[in-house]
Amino acid sequence: MTDLSRPSVLVFDVNETLLDITTLEPLFERLFGDGAVLREWFPELILYSQTLTLSDIYTPFGTLAGSMLRMVGTNKGIDVTDADIAELKQLFGQMPAHKDAAPALTALRDAGYTLVTLTNSAAAPSPTPLENAGIAGLFDHHFNVSEVEKFKPHRSVYDIVPKALNTPASDMCMVACHVWDTIGAQAAGYQGAFIARPHNSVFEVPNLRQPDYICDDLAVFARRMIP
């Protein structure tokens, strides 16, 4: 890890890494009587997004999120209505930023890094989720999967940023709280930084390259990256 060259571009995942999905828990508490069902719904959403990608099928992430809410409801014998799905989509677009996000991003930007986002969510009309969270202006560029109609960790998603910025992938670091995201990015030539948000941890398996940086939060990551 000490032999790493310092990247010039930091590529941030959005949902859960920058934006706090725990603010969705009241909806799950109302629907299922248990806010922790959020932690069943979100991993299933990721699983099925990846399944569609492997099957060469694309449906926007927001549509998948609503369909997965209905699927979880069916599994639990709960009738999820169109109004419930509309509420989920509204709340998903209004998630606040984690408290460490703005200070860390500001410090990294001031230190000279190029900051971009790369998200599974499709492009949204203004105000975007990041605009609602007050941190959109801290980034130089925003990228999403709609260009390639594949979800992370498909290689084509990570290729979007080097191509758009005309910068080698080796000069980039993917910053995410999901280790499947850092795995995909590292396979595409990026460095990987894992941010240990609650309910997320590293994955240790033989022959798997671990994240190049493992940090408790974005503040720790910023301190690591700024000499």
Side-chain angles (χ1 to χ4, degrees), residues 203-224:
F203 179 52
E204 297 185 9
V205 64
N207 303 318
L208 176 66
R209 175 182 165 186
Q210 291 298 299
D212 300 296
Y213 309 93
I214 299 175
C215 303
D216 290 338
D217 56 29
L218 288 173
V220 173
F221 175 67
R223 290 196 294 271
R224 289 281 302 274

Side-chain angles (χ1 to χ4, degrees), residues 101-119:
L105 293 169
T106 300
L108 290 164
R109 184 189 61 179
D110 291 348
Y113 287 101
T114 297
L115 306 183
V116 307
T117 61
L118 180 63
T119 178

Side-chain angles (χ1 to χ4, degrees), residues 19-20 23 88-97 128-129 132-133:
L19 303 183
D20 185 2
T23 56
L88 171 67
K89 292 181 178 180
Q90 179 183 18
L91 293 172
F92 205 73
Q94 297 175 344
M95 294 185 295
T128 67
N132 284 329

Side-chain angles (χ1 to χ4, degrees), residues 15-57:
N15 298 320
E16 197 168 19
T17 301
L18 295 174
L19 303 183
D20 185 2
I21 71 168
T22 65
T23 56
L24 303 178
E25 286 181 355
L27 172 62
F28 288 83
E29 175 69 32
R30 177 178 68 76
L31 288 175
F32 305 111
D34 184 1
V37 175
L38 167 67
R39 295 297 172 179
E40 177 180 339
W41 165 81
F42 192 64
E44 288 285 285
L45 173 59
I46 299 301
L47 171 64
Y48 278 86
S49 71
Q50 295 171 351
T51 299
L52 292 186
T53 289
L54 287 170
S55 303
D56 290 325
I57 301 167

Side-chain angles (χ1 to χ4, degrees), residues 45 52 58-67 120-122 145-146 149 151:
L45 173 59
L52 292 186
Y58 177 74
T59 299
F61 199 64
T63 302
L64 293 181
S67 297
N120 272 335
S121 298
V145 302
S146 58
E149 296 192 341
F151 292 108

